[in-house]
């Protein structure tokens, strides 16, 4: 089943005209709408399903600086500062807590990688400490494996995937944004090389700017307007338990990751265990993604599923021109991998005896949209004036969401960028430049 997400009411009527239309009600779209509205811009937020229905509610909920690619670090620092203030600014809890993150491993190469990242931590002022064998075992008990060491990222933390996007959407509404769920974007209205509005299933909206924050659907939407955005999705699995004994807030080891939720339950998954499904879109962008596939060959399985014939990467999406394709697929809700669910529960129960009888509440699958270099795109799109893209978060988007939305608002409003946007330009992926694959 899908994760349970806080419900957000929709506005009954579309506005005739706004300054900005945001496509996508995930954390990036809602954060963008919030920060645009906070600057006094009129915004309409469009979501074909409901707010937070896809990847933004299916994530682990981590908000981290640790182990990020250096290109993302300024954006991560900005995001953490924004997370700190959002609950006070909006007046609602998003579940953000700086609990710290604990990592342990029995893999010498992984431990060396964490150690090798410490110069980045020092450069950006991130408080992080290596743990010796005893310190790692104290934080996550050893059972079938013996830890070589670990890491404590002190100022990182978590937020609630069920709350974050809905609260941001409601915060945007208090500032004048209108929210339209069950309302898919169909096509852009472009006049003399510039967007002038958008057609939706509920009608037309005039707009000076359009932000595509459509997650896994972004490439499909842009393609029908002749815009290339190399994008591929991997299918992941996670679960949520019933409320349980507190064995830690945010924990990572090679065979499970755990995040404690506000109600005392846990979100659990296994890091790096994902399926790359063969799709027509994946075949189209195979050359761009080959460096990443080779680098992460051991972390993913190749598979063939329903995404070949339905969804944003399907035959119909690539070769068809159905303006209602987004309405036919309100929510991407792939089935979870039962084998992974069994594996993560076995690993957790064997590590923490107090969780031996812990029941699963529900589980889900998700499609994580990726770019060839695993770094997001936050960019204006040439040659179409007034069109912007914020997508391709590559599994990093929840924690970075506020910063991505803030930077997108900077670009749309011609403000001085809060972080250097050069690394996030779409052009880097389509101009033949060498792809430098980022950190996970």
């Amino acid at each position: 089943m899908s994760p349970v997400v806080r419900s957000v009411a929709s506005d009954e009527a579309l506005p005739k005209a706004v300054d900005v239309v945001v496509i996508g009600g995930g954390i990036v779209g809602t954060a963008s709408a919030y920060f645009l509205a906070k600057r006094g811009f009129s915004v309409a937020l469009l979501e074909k399903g409901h707010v937070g229905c896809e990847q933004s509610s299916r994530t682990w909920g981590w908000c981290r600086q640790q182990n990020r690619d250096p290109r993302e670090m300024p954006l991560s620092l900005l995001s953490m500062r924004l997370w700190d203030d959002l609950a006070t600014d909006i007046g609602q809890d998003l579940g953000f807590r700086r609990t710290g993150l604990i990592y342990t491993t029995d893999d010498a190469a992984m431990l060396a990688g964490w150690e090798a990242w410490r110069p980045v931590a020092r450069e950006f002022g991130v408080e992080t400490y290596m743990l010796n064998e005893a310190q790692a075992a104290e934080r996550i008990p050893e059972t079938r494996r013996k830890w070589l060491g670990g890491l404590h990222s002190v100022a990182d933390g978590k937020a609630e995937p069920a709350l974050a996007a809905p609260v941001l959407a409601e915060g945007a509404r208090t500032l004048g944004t209108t929210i339209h769920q069950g309302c898919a974007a169909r096509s852009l209205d472009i006049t003399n090389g510039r967007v002038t509005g958008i057609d939706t299933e509920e009608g037309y909206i005039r707009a000076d700017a359009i932000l595509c924050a459509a997650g896994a659907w972004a490439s499909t939407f842009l393609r029908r307007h002749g815009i290339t955005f190399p994008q591929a999705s991997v299918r992941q699995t996670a679960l949520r338990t019933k409320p349980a004994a507190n064995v830690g807030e945010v924990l990572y080891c090679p065979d499970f990751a755990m995040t404690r939720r506000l109600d005392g339950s846990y979100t659990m998954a296994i890091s790096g265990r994902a399926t790359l499904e063969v799709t027509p879109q994946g075949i189209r962008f195979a050359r761009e993604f080959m460096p990443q596939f080779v680098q992460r060959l051991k972390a993913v399985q190749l598979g063939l599923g329903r995404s070949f014939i339905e969804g944003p990467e399907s035959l119909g999406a690539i070769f068809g021109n159905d303006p209602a394709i987004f309405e036919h697929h309100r929510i991407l809700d792939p089935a979870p991998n039962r084998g992974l669910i069994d594996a993560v529960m076995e690993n957790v129960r064997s590590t923490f005896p107090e969780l031996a009888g812990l029941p699963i509440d529900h589980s889900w699958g998700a499609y994580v949209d990726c770019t060839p270099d695993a770094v997001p795109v936050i960019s204006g799109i040439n040659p179409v004036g007034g069109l912007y893209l914020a997508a391709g978060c590559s599994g990093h988007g929840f924690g970075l969401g506020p910063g991505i939305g803030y930077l997108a608002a900077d670009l749309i409003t011609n403000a001085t960028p809060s972080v250097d946007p050069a690394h996030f330009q779409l052009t880097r992926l389509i101009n033949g430049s060498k792809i430098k694959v980022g950190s996970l």
Side-chain angles (χ1 to χ4, degrees), residues 66-67 70 108-122 130 151:
Q66 178 66 39
N67 292 338
M110 183 177 290
L111 195 64
W114 296 341
E115 179 67 43
W117 191 83
R118 295 189 73 190
V120 179
R122 288 191 290 270
M130 299 301 295
L151 183 144

Coordinates of all heavy atoms in Angstrom, one line a residue, residues 66-67 70 108-122 130 151:
Q66 N 26.2 14.8 5.6 CA 27.2 13.8 5.6 C 27.2 13.0 4.2 O 26.2 12.7 3.7 CB 27.0 12.8 6.7 CG 27.9 11.6 6.8 CD 29.4 12.0 7.1 OE1 29.6 12.9 7.9 NE2 30.3 11.4 6.4
N67 N 28.4 12.8 3.7 CA 28.6 11.9 2.5 C 28.0 12.5 1.2 O 27.8 11.8 0.2 CB 28.1 10.5 2.7 CG 28.9 9.7 3.7 OD1 30.1 10.1 4.0 ND2 28.4 8.7 4.4
P70 N 30.4 17.0 -3.2 CA 30.8 18.4 -2.9 C 29.9 19.4 -3.7 O 29.7 20.5 -3.2 CB 32.3 18.5 -3.3 CG 32.8 17.1 -3.1 CD 31.6 16.2 -3.4
A108 N 35.7 -2.6 5.0 CA 36.9 -1.7 5.1 C 36.8 -0.6 4.0 O 37.2 0.6 4.3 CB 38.2 -2.5 5.0
A109 N 36.4 -0.9 2.8 CA 36.3 0.1 1.7 C 35.3 1.2 2.1 O 35.5 2.4 1.8 CB 36.0 -0.6 0.4
M110 N 34.2 0.8 2.6 CA 33.1 1.8 3.0 C 33.7 2.7 4.1 O 33.5 3.9 4.1 CB 31.9 1.1 3.5 CG 30.7 2.0 3.8 SD 29.2 1.1 4.3 CE 28.8 0.4 2.7
L111 N 34.3 2.1 5.1 CA 34.9 2.9 6.2 C 35.9 3.9 5.6 O 36.0 5.0 6.0 CB 35.5 2.0 7.2 CG 35.9 2.6 8.6 CD1 34.6 3.0 9.3 CD2 36.6 1.6 9.4
A112 N 36.8 3.4 4.7 CA 37.8 4.3 4.1 C 37.1 5.4 3.3 O 37.6 6.6 3.3 CB 38.7 3.5 3.2
G113 N 36.0 5.1 2.7 CA 35.2 6.2 2.0 C 34.7 7.2 2.9 O 34.8 8.4 2.6
W114 N 34.2 6.8 4.1 CA 33.7 7.8 5.0 C 34.9 8.7 5.5 O 34.8 9.9 5.7 CB 33.1 7.1 6.2 CG 31.8 6.4 5.8 CD1 31.1 6.6 4.7 CD2 31.2 5.4 6.6 NE1 30.0 5.7 4.7 CE2 30.0 5.0 5.9 CE3 31.4 4.8 7.8 CZ2 29.2 4.0 6.3 CZ3 30.6 3.8 8.3 CH2 29.5 3.4 7.5
E115 N 36.0 8.0 5.8 CA 37.2 8.8 6.2 C 37.7 9.7 5.1 O 38.1 10.9 5.4 CB 38.3 7.8 6.6 CG 39.6 8.4 7.0 CD 39.5 9.2 8.3 OE1 38.9 8.6 9.3 OE2 40.1 10.3 8.4
A116 N 37.6 9.3 3.9 CA 38.1 10.1 2.8 C 37.2 11.4 2.6 O 37.6 12.4 2.0 CB 38.1 9.3 1.5
W117 N 35.9 11.3 3.1 CA 35.0 12.4 2.9 C 35.3 13.5 4.0 O 34.8 14.6 3.8 CB 33.6 12.0 3.1 CG 32.6 13.0 2.7 CD1 32.1 13.3 1.4 CD2 31.9 13.9 3.6 NE1 31.2 14.3 1.5 CE2 31.0 14.7 2.8 CE3 31.9 14.1 4.9 CZ2 30.2 15.7 3.3 CZ3 31.0 15.0 5.5 CH2 30.2 15.8 4.7
R118 N 36.1 13.2 5.0 CA 36.3 14.2 6.1 C 36.9 15.5 5.6 O 36.5 16.6 6.2 CB 37.1 13.6 7.2 CG 36.4 12.4 7.8 CD 37.1 11.9 9.0 NE 36.9 12.8 10.2 CZ 37.6 12.7 11.3 NH1 38.5 11.8 11.4 NH2 37.4 13.6 12.3
P119 N 37.7 15.6 4.6 CA 38.2 16.9 4.1 C 37.0 17.8 3.6 O 37.0 19.0 3.8 CB 39.1 16.6 3.0 CG 39.7 15.2 3.3 CD 38.5 14.5 4.0
V120 N 36.0 17.1 3.0 CA 34.8 17.9 2.6 C 34.1 18.4 3.8 O 33.6 19.6 3.9 CB 33.9 17.0 1.8 CG1 32.6 17.7 1.4 CG2 34.6 16.5 0.5
A121 N 34.0 17.6 4.9 CA 33.3 18.0 6.1 C 34.0 19.2 6.7 O 33.4 20.2 7.1 CB 33.3 16.9 7.1
R122 N 35.4 19.2 6.7 CA 36.1 20.3 7.2 C 35.9 21.5 6.4 O 35.8 22.6 6.9 CB 37.6 19.9 7.4 CG 37.9 18.9 8.5 CD 39.4 18.8 8.7 NE 40.1 18.1 7.6 CZ 40.2 16.8 7.6 NH1 39.8 16.0 8.5 NH2 40.9 16.2 6.5
M130 N 34.7 10.0 13.3 CA 34.8 8.5 13.1 C 34.7 7.8 14.4 O 35.0 8.3 15.5 CB 36.2 8.2 12.4 CG 36.4 8.9 11.1 SD 35.2 8.4 9.8 CE 35.5 6.7 9.6
L151 N 30.7 6.0 12.0 CA 30.7 7.5 11.9 C 29.5 8.1 12.6 O 28.4 7.5 12.6 CB 30.7 7.8 10.4 CG 30.9 9.3 10.0 CD1 31.7 9.4 8.7 CD2 29.5 9.9 9.7

